[in-house]
Amino acid sequence: MKTLPAALAIAAKDLRLFFRDRTGMALGFLLPLVLVGVFGFVMKIANGPTGGYSRASLWVVDLDRSEASRRFVAALREAETIDVRPAADAPPVDEASVRRELEDGEIHHALLVPSGFGAAIEKKELPQLRMLRDPDRAMEEQLISIGLMQAAIGALGPDFSEAFTTRMLEQAGLPKEWRERTTALTRVFAGGVRALFEEKEVAEQKGDAAGGATPAGTKDGAKDGAKPAFSMGDFLGQLVPVTHEEFRPPARPKQLSWTLAHTVSGIGVMMLMFGLMACATQLLREREEGVLPRLLLSPADRGAILWGKYLFALVIGALQLALLFAFGAVVFQVEVLRDPAAFLVVSAVVLLAVTAFGMLIAAWARTSKQAEGLSTLLILVMSALGGAWFPLQLFKDRLPAPVTWLMKATLTDWAIRSYQALFWDAKGLGDRSLLTNLAVLLGFTVAATALARRLFQKRYVETSGAP
Amino acid sequence: MSEAAEELLAVDALEFRYGERVAVAGATFSIRRGECFGLLGPNGAGKSTTIRCIAGLAPPHGGALRFSGGPFFPFERGDDRRRAGTVPQELALYGELTARENLAFFGRMSGLAGAPLRDAIARGLALAGLADRADDRVKSFSGGMKRRLNLAAGDLHDPELLLLDEPTAGVDPQSRNHLFESLGALKAAGKTLLYTTHYMEEAQRLCERVAIMDDGRVLAVGKPAELATAAGLPGADLEALFLHLTGKRLRDA
């Protein structure tokens, strides 16, 4: 037989085999579609619908309650990089409650607009703001600085350009005399620019401006022109006078960043799921290789077969976790053994939940192809939605309600939250939110195990080990 | 000793269905202690399903099983499963484990441990003729060696009854001969064997009595010579009797 006919015959046979397992085939095709969908959605949330800035949540407490402070808060809501909380139509929050939430690690930035804000504005002075923050959330810090500056310029308007200039020069370290000279020059320049604007406005009102190029300095041009400056988030952030009060668990290692701790937890949990799926599908391989009937014929309780696989997966999973977190501790300084008992309990619960998940898939699937397809699909989607690849938790306040529920339906989210509570928030087993996370994971374990047992009985024992 | 007192396993009006399809329709026969009993029939006759019910892999949908005169529920009860050992048609072995490790594992699954397990492994390796390859991985074995180990694994816990489902499928004459010798040794030691095969000469050589099944029913039970005489074929061999009773129609065409 020549090469081509033989190759065609082999390809035709393989295609026939591939399409014969319809569930496995459907899962294989579904996987890329679901992944593209989930990732597109995650990126949309992360970068905004137009692909621009990400947004960070900023809780705002208006202690001044003046017209000026309300205008400032409204300008904050317009800023491109901030999601102001509570929402405009929600009841306001007080200082004590945001402090509590900060201490619990539930929120990470809160801006206090102090009493006297409006009075300072009236006196043409830059008002002093107070930021309560977790200092290790650098990514959100940048976004908030940019948004704060954007809002300050928007709310205080051109009357404060001189004040901003003075503060900028002061930040740049210019002596007082030079600052005054530069400010005087700026004042003259600003007067000239203002005259040009007024002239243009008059021209527009007369309808003469139609069809012409938009000179820099029109409303849109100003917005576009301002964008490059916003990339200097740190510098610009300093233009708005803000005093900082920091909320940081003392036990948190200084060199650890939130995203690093999150990544170690997230990737650790995802790889654990992949590893344990490989263990769980051994049940299917034994069935396909014909060994399972001999196990079912042994005098031992048939449930022991499933429990044996559980134990095997738990041991392998424990080794995997130990290796992953040892690597995280050595290479990235994640302090995994800060609270050894809590770490062991969290890891044991995560292991149980992930193993139960693997067993459920193995008990459900009729072929190893089906198990591989479904598990890959679920693990990748859970990892994406649960924040293992991209920290969606950063944007949890902005997620639509259905997505939040989907996120909470993933093992990954609860597992990452539990580890983050240990590594980042430096909480222990006495913490209520950590206990809630663990209770959810244990609840999943019990439900998944019960279902896996039932499916095992139905699909393995009652069918005599035949697929 | 009367025939009833010698009875080890009684299959009484056994029924089993796969959905709507009847696989075993009221099969009745009994096996005496210490004999080799052949269960013969064309493909799809219901032999393997009958063995699965006796072994405990499938729960009968009707009829009853008795072992040593008492009720026998191998699907439900582990202790009943212990009384029979099964040598399945498939090579139910772990290729990545050695012969010794395979036997050790299946021995533990049968409840053996310590010295009894070590003795059982040694006996199994000797039965399979693999004592000198005990620590080689099974994936390196020939088909015949795997078949022999498959037999040893089924007999490891020394059951009263050994169910053999086409144990010689796909083996060379030497391995087949070794298997026959092994089965002969087991029989000589008092083991009761239930043997299914497509090879009539094997049944003729090994079995004192046979049951011939077709379409889920038992057509005849007894000694081959007596059955041949009863069928009007005195002196005929088992193959002639088999074709006479079951016809020449292909069953899996």
Side-chain angles (χ1 to χ4, degrees):
Chain A
M1 201 173 183
K2 294 210 184 285
T3 306
L4 184 61
L8 286 174
I10 289 169
K13 178 267 298 174
D14 286 343
L15 283 167
R16 182 165 293 135
L17 288 173
F18 180 83
F19 286 108
R20 192 144 288 172
D21 182 356
R22 290 185 187 169
T23 310
M25 176 202 64
L27 289 168
F29 282 118
L30 195 62
L31 178 65
L33 292 181
V34 172
L35 282 185
V36 166
V38 169
F39 275 97
F41 186 73
V42 167
M43 287 303 122
K44 204 170 162 182
I45 289 172
N47 298 322
T50 55
Y53 293 107
S54 300
R55 285 173 185 262
S57 290
L58 177 67
W59 288 76
V60 176
V61 183
D62 183 359
L63 299 170
D64 191 48
R65 296 176 188 278
S66 63
E67 184 54 40
S69 67
R70 272 193 285 274
R71 208 167 52 240
F72 177 64
V73 174
L76 279 173
R77 291 189 193 283
E78 295 294 314
E80 290 174 344
T81 57
I82 298 177
D83 237 1
V84 172
R85 298 279 149 179
D89 53 355
V93 289
D94 59 21
E95 185 178 343
S97 68
V98 294
R99 281 180 180 279
R100 261 198 317 277
E101 297 272 291
L102 270 157
E103 276 162 7
D104 289 345
E106 294 298 321
I107 66 173
H108 314 292
H109 291 89
L111 183 71
L112 304 183
V113 183
S115 304
F117 180 92
I121 298 290
E122 276 178 27
K123 286 192 260 174
K124 298 275 189 287
E125 288 173 3
L126 279 177
Q128 192 77 26
L129 298 165
R130 281 171 66 208
M131 180 74 79
L132 315 182
R133 65 173 185 178
D134 183 334
D136 297 320
R137 312 267 302 201
M139 192 170 148
E140 289 144 292
E141 188 71 40
Q142 291 276 326
L143 296 171
I144 287 170
S145 295
I146 293 167
L148 209 54
M149 181 63 197
Q150 204 177 14
I153 291 172
L156 306 181
D159 291 346
F160 277 77
S161 60
E162 191 177 313
F164 282 128
T165 308
T166 306
R167 184 161 172 80
M168 191 165 66
L169 296 172
E170 193 181 317
Q171 294 290 331
L174 221 59
K176 191 181 173 194
E177 190 190 341
W178 291 19
R179 285 203 308 263
E180 284 170 358
R181 282 189 204 170
T182 311
T183 310
L185 282 170
T186 310
R187 205 175 296 140
V188 173
F189 176 73
V193 171
R194 195 174 296 127
L196 281 172
F197 271 97
E198 285 164 4
E199 198 178 309
K200 182 172 181 294
E201 216 167 286
V202 172
E204 275 176 354
Q205 280 168 4
K206 288 180 182 171
D208 293 347
T214 309
T218 60
K219 194 177 174 192
D220 289 345
K223 200 176 172 186
D224 292 343
K227 272 185 182 170
F230 287 151
S231 66
M232 303 165 68
D234 278 344
F235 179 68
L236 289 181
Q238 289 170 355
L239 294 184
V240 184
V242 179
T243 54
H244 293 107
E245 190 178 334
E246 300 189 340
F247 288 73
R248 183 181 202 284
R252 181 191 296 163
K254 284 201 166 51
Q255 63 275 47
L256 184 65
S257 74
W258 185 87
T259 39
L260 182 57
H262 187 95
T263 303
V264 170
S265 313
I267 299 295
V269 171
M270 185 180 74
M271 294 319 293
L272 181 69
M273 287 205 280
F274 274 119
L276 292 193
M277 261 326 296
C279 295
T281 50
Q282 202 174 7
L283 196 61
L284 288 156
R285 285 198 296 278
E286 285 187 349
R287 180 160 73 179
E288 286 161 1
E289 288 164 9
V291 185
L292 191 68
R294 176 161 266 162
L295 300 184
L296 290 169
L297 283 172
S298 74
D301 172 26
R302 267 109 183 217
I305 298 171
L306 192 66
W307 295 124
K309 301 295 175 197
Y310 255 96
L311 276 175
F312 159 64
L314 283 174
V315 171
I316 298 295
L319 292 172
Q320 274 187 339
L321 269 187
L323 190 66
L324 281 166
F325 284 118
F327 185 81
V330 171
V331 178
F332 299 118
Q333 285 82 44
V334 178
E335 211 174 312
V336 293
L337 291 179
R338 179 190 56 78
D339 183 344
F343 175 71
L344 285 177
V345 170
V346 168
S347 296
V349 172
V350 169
L351 257 180
L352 282 169
V354 174
T355 306
F357 164 75
M359 287 300 157
L360 181 56
I361 300 289
W364 168 84
R366 293 186 192 276
T367 63
S368 45
K369 188 176 163 191
Q370 287 181 9
E372 283 159 15
L374 184 68
S375 62
T376 307
L377 181 74
L378 287 178
I379 292 171
L380 293 183
V381 168
M382 283 204 291
S383 298
L385 277 176
W389 291 356
F390 185 86
L392 264 190
Q393 285 83 351
L394 278 177
F395 310 101
K396 63 179 180 185
D397 297 331
R398 293 174 50 203
L399 296 174
V403 179
T404 308
W405 281 107
L406 276 177
M407 192 175 169
K408 285 185 177 173
T410 67
L411 276 183
T412 336
D413 178 51
W414 293 100
I416 290 175
R417 278 201 236 182
S418 303
Y419 278 121
Q420 280 292 66
L422 285 186
F423 302 152
W424 183 251
D425 296 321
K427 290 175 179 171
L429 287 174
D431 179 74
R432 186 189 267 187
S433 64
L434 177 58
L435 289 176
T436 306
N437 295 343
L438 297 182
V440 170
L441 287 169
L442 281 175
F444 172 85
T445 305
V446 171
T449 302
L451 194 53
R453 273 197 71 184
R454 202 168 163 175
L455 282 170
F456 176 76
Q457 181 68 24
K458 197 173 167 180
R459 296 195 166 185
Y460 286 77
V461 177
E462 288 171 16
T463 58
S464 325
Chain B
M1 194 183 287
S2 71
E3 282 205 347
E6 292 174 347
E7 178 187 281
L8 181 70
L9 177 78
V11 177
D12 185 13
L14 187 75
E15 288 179 15
F16 192 87
R17 293 179 298 278
Y18 291 103
E20 295 297 306
R21 189 172 70 79
V22 177
V24 182
T28 299
F29 59 90
S30 65
I31 302 173
R32 296 170 192 161
R33 191 180 293 277
E35 77 172 343
C36 180
F37 185 90
L39 190 58
L40 312 177
N43 286 340
K47 310 182 298 290
S48 290
T49 305
T50 302
I51 284 213
R52 289 166 83 87
C53 290
I54 297 169
L57 271 178
H61 295 133
L65 297 170
R66 286 194 312 279
F67 202 101
S68 292
F72 186 56
F73 297 101
F75 184 79
E76 292 84 3
R77 296 181 191 162
D79 283 344
D80 283 356
R81 285 198 293 278
R82 194 191 305 274
R83 305 186 81 169
T86 305
V87 181
Q89 230 175 90
E90 299 81 17
L91 291 166
L93 301 164
Y94 293 97
E96 290 297 328
L97 298 183
T98 65
R100 189 190 305 280
E101 288 166 342
N102 266 284
L103 293 180
F105 170 68
F106 290 119
R108 283 193 196 96
M109 289 298 289
S110 300
L112 298 174
L117 176 62
R118 283 194 295 278
D119 292 346
I121 292 169
R123 209 173 50 242
L125 289 169
L127 182 70
L130 290 170
D132 55 340
R133 300 287 304 271
D135 297 313
D136 290 352
R137 290 190 190 188
V138 167
K139 69 178 182 184
S140 69
F141 288 0
S142 68
M145 291 160 86
K146 288 176 186 169
R147 282 276 162 210
R148 278 141 48 198
L149 190 62
N150 208 31
L151 168 67
D155 185 55
L156 200 64
H157 62 293
D158 195 19
E160 294 165 79
L161 172 67
L162 193 58
L163 308 170
L164 299 129
D165 193 3
E166 300 188 31
T168 58
V171 300
D172 62 14
Q174 283 77 13
S175 284
R176 179 178 294 186
N177 191 56
H178 186 280
L179 278 168
F180 287 165
E181 285 176 4
S182 303
L183 293 174
L186 290 172
K187 222 173 97 179
K191 185 90 62 186
T192 308
L193 309 176
L194 171 56
Y195 194 93
T196 73
T197 183
H198 285 115
Y199 303 115
M200 293 303 123
E201 73 277 12
E202 283 185 8
Q204 188 99 44
R205 176 174 169 180
L206 286 170
C207 304
E208 285 95 349
R209 293 193 311 132
V210 297
I212 296 176
M213 287 186 78
D214 198 9
D215 291 329
R217 298 173 194 282
V218 175
L219 303 178
V221 185
K223 294 179 179 171
E226 290 173 1
L227 291 178
T229 304
L233 301 168
D237 64 11
L238 198 50
E239 183 154 349
L241 174 68
F242 182 83
L243 287 172
H244 174 75
L245 289 173
T246 60
K248 293 185 177 176
R249 178 173 56 89
L250 291 173
R251 304 310 159 88
D252 49 3

